[in-house]
């Protein structure tokens, strides 16, 4: 994007503009960052190019002078430092296509650009930001639900494995017991308040040990 503006490559800009969307503009280059990268003057010159390009390709009631376009470009950078250069391109494209604007006042000046078109564009942009944030939140909630399901399943499996291991130990222990040893062990476990699952399993051995 910055490259085609710097070289005033119209064909490259047309292709870029054709494929530009609000989602892509959201993730574009902030004007503040652009200033820090290529300098304040070059940033204003780039926006001037976009304004003058719009001026020459759009049938407006009043054209911009070079001084006016420079002033508006400076105002855009000052007023919207955390919007992107892609926002400027897309905003002008949407005005040209009639997506934003009232369809009546086509005067190209700071009032329309800064107080009407850009705010309307940003309303649409921020609505899209909210949709994107909700989508991410919903996806994260969905992912969390799946993770929680597998966590619970893993915990069930772990508990089942532990229960099997302890019951195997009880089987091995009682295989050498007589009835009195079994009863003594049951009494001891009752006093120690061993888990009911394992105590009940031990008591079932009464059916086997006479």
């Amino acid at each position: 994007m910055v490259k085609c503006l710097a070289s005033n490559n119209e064909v490259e800009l047309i292709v870029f503009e054709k494929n530009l969307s609000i989602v892509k503009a959201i993730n574009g280059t902030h004007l503040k960052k652009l200033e820090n990268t290529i300098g304040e003057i070059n940033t204003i010159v780039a926006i001037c190019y976009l304004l003058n390009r719009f001026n020459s390709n759009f049938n407006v009631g009043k054209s911009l002078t070079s001084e006016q376009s420079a002033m508006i470009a400076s105002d855009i950078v000052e007023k919207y430092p955390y919007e992107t250069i892609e926002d400027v391109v897309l905003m002008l494209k949407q005005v040209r296509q009639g997506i934003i604007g009232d369809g009546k006042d086509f005067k190209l000046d700071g009032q329309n650009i800064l107080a009407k078109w850009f705010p309307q564009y940003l309303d649409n942009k921020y609505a899209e930001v909210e949709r994107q944030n909700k989508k991410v939140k919903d996806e994260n909630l969905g992912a969390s639900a799946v993770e929680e399901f597998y966590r619970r399943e893993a915990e069930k499996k772990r508990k089942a494995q532990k229960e099997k291991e302890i019951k195997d130990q009880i089987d091995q222990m009682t295989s050498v017991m007589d009835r009195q040893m079994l009863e003594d062990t049951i009494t001891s476990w009752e006093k120690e308040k061993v888990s009911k699952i394992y105590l009940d399993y031990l008591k079932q051995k009464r059916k086997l040990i006479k």
Side-chain angles (χ1 to χ4, degrees), residues 103-115:
K104 299 175 182 178
D105 189 356
F106 297 109
K107 184 169 63 174
L108 187 58
D109 59 12
Q111 179 65 24
N112 269 341
I113 295 171
L114 294 167

Side-chain angles (χ1 to χ4, degrees), residues 1-183:
M1 170 62 196
V2 176
K3 182 180 176 182
C4 67
L5 285 177
S7 62
N8 290 351
N9 189 322
E10 180 63 23
V11 174
E12 189 175 347
L13 181 56
I14 288 172
V15 173
F16 176 83
E17 182 187 66
K18 178 177 179 293
N19 295 295
L20 187 57
S21 66
I22 288 183
V23 174
K24 290 180 180 179
I26 290 169
N27 299 310
T29 304
H30 291 167
L31 295 177
K32 188 68 176 179
K33 181 178 180 181
L34 191 62
E35 266 192 314
N36 294 334
T37 303
I38 66 174
E40 183 179 7
I41 292 176
N42 287 332
T43 300
I44 292 174
V45 168
I47 296 175
C48 279
Y49 171 68
L50 294 173
L51 292 173
N52 291 330
R53 173 178 177 268
F54 178 85
N55 188 40
S56 62
N57 288 284
F58 190 61
N59 185 22
V60 296
K62 180 182 178 182
S63 297
L64 292 175
T65 65
S66 57
E67 291 80 7
Q68 287 172 326
S69 62
M71 184 64 69
I72 293 171
S74 177
D75 287 342
I76 289 173
V77 173
E78 181 180 348
K79 189 173 182 180
Y80 303 110
Y82 298 107
E83 310 306 336
T84 67
I85 187 66
E86 288 81 0
D87 286 324
V88 180
V89 175
L90 191 55
M91 179 269 294
L92 293 174
K93 174 186 174 181
Q94 290 187 351
V95 173
R96 188 181 73 234
Q97 293 180 335
I99 297 172
I100 60 177
D102 57 16
K104 299 175 182 178
D105 189 356
F106 297 109
K107 184 169 63 174
L108 187 58
D109 59 12
Q111 179 65 24
N112 269 341
I113 295 171
L114 294 167
K116 292 183 180 180
W117 297 341
F118 219 119
Q120 186 179 348
Y121 167 82
L122 291 179
D123 283 345
N124 297 336
K125 176 187 175 182
Y126 296 152
E128 180 60 33
V129 169
E130 287 299 315
R131 281 192 291 272
Q132 292 294 316
N133 289 342
K134 185 178 184 303
K135 180 180 177 182
V136 170
K137 183 178 179 181
D138 290 345
E139 288 174 351
N140 288 339
L141 286 174
S144 296
V146 172
E147 289 172 3
E148 179 63 16
F149 170 78
Y150 283 113
R151 186 193 68 76
R152 290 180 179 177
E153 289 299 305
E155 182 64 16
K156 287 179 185 178
K157 189 174 181 179
R158 185 190 67 78
K159 287 181 177 179
Q161 181 62 29
K162 180 181 178 182
E163 184 175 327
K164 181 180 182 302
E165 289 173 358
I166 293 177
K167 286 182 177 181
D168 287 344
Q169 290 173 11
I170 293 173
D171 290 341
Q172 186 176 359
M173 177 181 68
T174 57
S175 67
V176 295
M177 284 184 177
D178 58 24
R179 184 56 178 261
Q180 187 58 51
M181 291 174 65
L182 175 62
E183 294 300 332

